[in-house]
Amino acid sequence: MTALTLARMRADVAEMLGEAPEDISTEENLMDLGLDSMRVLGLVLAWGNTGIALEFSHLAEHATLGGWWTVVQRLQAQASASA
């Protein structure tokens, strides 16, 4: 399985919002940009295919791409440690 990267996350969020990836800041509130819970759930499902135990609640606790990336890095480290 391929590790999830910040670049992929940014590109996937941008696609969901109809924006260019470079327009998605790591510090901007994604909900303010128009990302709703159904789209977040779609991202969780897609990103879960990378082998990490990502759940909707992990992302719901954070509103920025930077916050999500911190969660993903932690989950990837846990997955590597248990492999």
Side-chain angles (χ1 to χ4, degrees):
M1 289 184 213
T2 306
L4 185 57
T5 65
L6 179 57
R8 176 178 169 192
M9 291 175 67
R10 185 186 311 272
D12 290 349
V13 168
E15 184 177 344
M16 287 273 185
L17 295 172
E19 300 287 339
E22 58 271 12
D23 293 337
I24 307 298
S25 163
T26 56
E27 301 307 316
E28 196 162 10
N29 185 312
L30 297 173
M31 305 314 144
D32 289 348
L33 294 177
L35 199 63
D36 59 32
S37 60
M38 292 306 292
R39 290 178 177 165
V40 173
L41 184 56
L43 293 169
V44 168
L45 294 173
W47 296 340
N49 291 333
T50 63
I52 58 174
L54 185 64
E55 297 178 12
F56 179 83
S57 61
H58 294 137
L59 300 187
E61 296 174 8
H62 305 279
T64 66
L65 184 59
W68 288 4
W69 177 236
T70 300
V71 169
V72 166
Q73 286 180 305
R74 180 177 45 83
L75 292 172
Q76 288 182 144
Q78 289 173 354
S80 293
S82 65

